[in-house]
Amino acid sequence: MRIGNDRRQDDFEINVISLIDVLLTLLMFFVLTTTFIQHSRMQVTLPKASAEERDMQAPALTVVVDRDGHFFVGSDEVLGEGIEPLKQAIANVAGDDRERQVTIRADAMTPHQNVVTAMDALGQLGFTKLSIATTPSQADNAK
C-alpha cells in the first residue's frame, strides 16, 4: 500500500510503429488503385503524307486503329469483333451529335480493311466530317 505522494507517474507513450504500418498500408492501397489517365495510350506509327499542315480545330472524336487491327474510340478499347461493337462504342461517345469532326488515327502497318471498317461504321452512323491523321514526310520537313 502506498501512502502519500510517493506515487509513481506512469509515462504515457504512443506506439508509432502501428501508426506507420497503417499509413504505409493506406499509401500502398491508394497508389495501387489509382488510375492514371493517358490520353494516347496507343502508340501508332502514322502514315506519311505530302499535304501541308492545315490549321484545324482539335477533333472532338478520335478513332484509333492499331497495327493488330484493334479499335479504340477516344482512349477506350472496343471489345468484340466486327462493325457492330465499333458502332456502339462510337455512338456511346458521340451521343446525338453527328456533325462532329472525326479523326481516324490508323497505324501505317494496319491492314487497309481495318481503316475501311472504321470509315464504314462512321458512315453508317451518319458522320460526314472524317479525316485521317498522318505525319509529314521527310521531304516536307526539309523545305
Side-chain angles (χ1 to χ4, degrees), residues 61 90-91 94-95 97-102 119 121-130:
L61 181 61
I90 294 169
D97 185 15
R98 298 299 186 247
E99 295 298 316
R100 293 172 80 170
Q101 176 70 31
V102 179
M119 293 173 69
L122 290 163
Q124 288 179 18
L125 290 173
F127 289 94
T128 57
K129 298 179 180 178
L130 304 179

Side-chain angles (χ1 to χ4, degrees), residues 11 21 32 46 64 70 84-85 99 109 123 126 135:
D11 291 333
D21 287 344
L32 293 176
L46 295 176
V64 179
H70 298 110
E84 290 304 320
E99 295 298 316
M109 296 299 153
T135 56

